[in-house]
Amino acid sequence: MAAVFSTAATTRLLSSTEPLAFSSTSHKTLSSSSLLPLKLRNPFHPKPLKFSPTKISAIISVGDTLPESTFSYFDPAGELKTTTVSELTKGKKTVLFGVPGAFTPICSFHHLPSFADLALKLKAKGIDTIACISVNDVFVMKAWRADVAKEWKGVDEVMLLSDCNANFTTAIGCEIDLIDNPVGFGVRSRRYSMLVEDGVIKLLYLERGGLYKYSSADYLLTVLG
């Protein structure tokens, strides 16, 4: 069960052993069986990456203004570009979601495809921009987009942003140190999704460890009603 926090919350440092759901609106909780069934390209069921079982926390909460940061990405024409938090969110309704890593199982088979599949429905709800943020270099993000696009054409509706040095991820307190992980990831992002309006966080869902449940596009679409 996700804990729900309103904009009246006064604690800026949030900590829980369960996936956190921060919301300025009431919503119903979904069971894991009600989440979007996504097809897999691999014959095995991908398992979440193993993370330390420590508590999850963030230094941001609903009602906060996102810190400024710069991301890099390739546009549809293949041109290398940069964008900022302000450019992504000023005067807009923007969905940002963070993933631990490009090409990792849950991110590739579920999280990014969920937003690719439901991007147009989210935009029909008034969302202007949908962007995926990962602590990977911009060339990895470009290759990841091309790979996911083989089955999920809707990925063209999602910006894939490189937070290569984890500047944004660290600024919002969503970094996780996986330097001792056998895969050798180093510092990466926790899995989350958020709705931002004109730079201000309206909804925030932060997952525990490598789990994937409340940060899905399906869950967010249901919350939006």
Side-chain angles (χ1 to χ4, degrees), residues 89-103:
T89 64
K90 187 175 181 179
K92 302 176 183 177
K93 290 185 178 181
T94 303
V95 169
L96 302 176
F97 65 100
V99 298
F103 290 103

Side-chain angles (χ1 to χ4, degrees), residues 16-171:
S16 172
T17 55
E18 294 296 323
L20 297 182
F22 310 82
S23 173
S24 58
T25 58
S26 61
H27 65 274
K28 62 182 179 180
T29 300
L30 299 180
S31 66
S32 58
S33 61
S34 64
L35 296 178
L36 179 68
L38 297 175
K39 56 185 177 182
L40 302 180
R41 283 182 286 151
N42 281 13
F44 64 90
H45 185 78
K47 296 180 179 180
L49 296 169
K50 293 183 178 180
F51 291 76
S52 169
T54 55
K55 293 182 178 181
I56 58 176
S57 63
I59 58 176
I60 55 169
S61 62
V62 165
D64 288 347
T65 298
L66 283 179
E68 188 62 289
S69 194
T70 300
F71 308 99
S72 56
Y73 70 101
F74 280 98
D75 69 11
E79 294 292 326
L80 179 59
K81 300 287 186 68
T82 61
T83 189
T84 64
V85 169
S86 294
E87 291 170 342
L88 290 166
T89 64
K90 187 175 181 179
K92 302 176 183 177
K93 290 185 178 181
T94 303
V95 169
L96 302 176
F97 65 100
V99 298
F103 290 103
T104 56
I106 298 299
C107 303
S108 297
F109 302 143
H110 290 285
H111 206 176
L112 178 54
S114 80
F115 281 93
D117 188 54
L118 295 175
L120 293 180
K121 290 185 178 181
L122 285 168
K123 291 184 176 182
K125 294 289 186 179
I127 303 302
D128 298 295
T129 303
I130 303 170
C132 173
I133 300 171
S134 183
V135 184
N136 288 106
D137 70 67
V138 68
F139 295 97
V140 168
M141 297 297 278
K142 179 183 180 182
W144 189 33
R145 170 190 289 282
D147 186 64
V148 173
K150 293 174 183 177
E151 289 201 15
W152 301 94
K153 303 304 180 185
V155 75
D156 291 338
E157 300 290 333
V158 181
M159 297 180 71
L160 267 63
L161 305 178
S162 167
D163 183 28
C164 190
N165 296 315
N167 292 331
F168 175 76
T169 300
T170 301

